[in-house]
Amino acid sequence: AQTVTQSQPEMSVQEAETVTLSCTYDTSESDYYLFWYKQPPSRQMILVIRQEAYKQQNATENRFSVNFQKAAKSFSLKISDSQLGDAAMYFCAYSYTNYGGSQGNLIFGKGTKLSVKP
Amino acid sequence: ETGVTQSPTHLIKTRGQQVTLRCSSQSGHNTVSWYQQALGQGPQFIFQYYREEENGRGNFPPRFSGLQFPNYSSELNVNALELDDSALYLCASSTVLAKKQFFGPGTRLTVL
């Protein structure tokens, strides 16, 4: 069975600094997707970034980038120039690809609570 | 383009009752997934609907059931509520090949 592990329950970063959130996963599939979702106190789960397993290039979205190490089954999120609005729970998630190409369900880690200090 | 909406925002039920939660998918999305998020945990997959048929189910008992309508909106029904059913219920919509799921704001269910 696929699993996602986030080993940092809480992290803290100074405003404008850089922070890295860790995630490891376990799967026997070769075709899958990895995600980082942000959940602020408002509860809405917001997609931050997505990585396709077949792509070697690490995904980047503005201040957010990932370090995808497929062999090590590691998928970390780097937030550069941290802002107060980045404070939230961050969830790492995995999904496989169904036969026919549709996305399977998301499997989430337990989350990392990120605090941003002014 | 409208986002994913869910209703109600909050509700309180007593043990043994039944509840129905509703989700309207994002425009153009034909796949809806439901997740349960207990306090301090990551979301757990309940089931997914595609074109009005169940298209995958997580480790939840049969008293958790669902429907998807022709307009792709969806309902989650929970019978015989238990205290442990207290959680945030999230709905996510997507298209079959989009490889992204967009979440609604959730429904907070409290079972007393």
Side-chain angles (χ1 to χ4, degrees):
Chain A
Q2 297 93 351
T3 58
V4 176
T5 302
Q6 293 180 249
S7 58
Q8 306 155 315
E10 296 189 24
M11 291 284 285
S12 181
V13 63
Q14 205 72 33
E15 195 175 6
E17 296 295 309
T18 296
V19 64
T20 298
L21 309 183
S22 301
C23 173
T24 59
Y25 61 95
D26 190 23
T27 183
S28 57
E29 302 288 334
S30 59
D31 187 12
Y32 54 88
Y33 292 79
L34 296 164
F35 306 82
W36 279 97
Y37 279 89
K38 168 185 177 182
Q39 188 177 42
S42 66
R43 310 178 324 199
Q44 182 119 25
M45 198 74 78
I46 301 164
L47 178 62
V48 174
I49 200 164
R50 182 187 74 172
Q51 175 76 44
E52 293 139 314
Y54 65 86
K55 288 188 176 178
Q56 293 189 350
Q57 187 173 5
N58 289 322
T60 300
E61 290 286 346
N62 301 315
R63 299 183 295 108
F64 299 88
S65 61
V66 298
N67 183 3
F68 173 48
Q69 301 290 327
K70 191 172 184 179
K73 295 180 181 175
S74 170
F75 182 61
S76 61
L77 174 69
K78 186 171 81 171
I79 306 174
S80 304
D81 186 25
S82 297
Q83 301 175 359
L84 296 177
D86 294 334
M89 284 292 292
Y90 284 82
F91 291 95
C92 178
Y94 160 99
S95 78
Y96 54 88
T97 301
N98 283 324
Y99 176 78
S102 64
Q103 183 187 16
N105 59 280
L106 291 165
I107 299 168
F108 287 87
K110 291 189 174 182
T112 296
K113 183 178 181 180
L114 177 66
S115 302
V116 181
K117 298 177 180 178
Chain B
E1 181 178 272
T2 57
V4 180
T5 60
Q6 292 185 244
S7 63
T9 304
H10 300 89
L11 75 166
I12 299 173
K13 292 285 188 178
T14 56
R15 195 170 47 182
Q17 284 189 311
Q18 178 266 342
V19 69
T20 297
L21 310 182
R22 294 177 174 82
C23 171
S24 291
S25 59
Q26 187 164 316
S27 177
H29 287 186
N30 55 16
T31 302
V32 174
S33 303
W34 286 91
Y35 295 83
Q36 181 196 65
Q37 186 178 18
L39 197 61
Q41 301 294 318
Q44 298 287 318
F45 173 68
I46 303 175
F47 44 57
Q48 182 183 83
Y49 277 84
Y50 169 60
R51 290 186 176 178
E52 303 177 55
E53 297 285 335
E54 189 176 288
N55 185 39
R57 188 179 182 92
N59 189 26
F60 280 81
R63 60 189 185 84
F64 285 79
S65 62
L67 282 173
Q68 187 180 32
F69 300 99
N71 66 355
Y72 304 132
S73 66
S74 177
E75 286 183 355
L76 164 64
N77 299 289
V78 187
N79 294 321
L81 283 167
E82 301 177 359
L83 297 179
D84 285 349
D85 295 334
S86 295
L88 179 67
Y89 288 85
L90 296 166
C91 164
S93 76
S94 61
T95 59
V96 171
L97 300 178
K99 309 298 190 295
K100 292 180 183 180
Q101 294 188 19
F102 295 89
F103 284 82
T107 294
R108 172 74 66 190
L109 172 64
T110 302
V111 182
L112 302 176

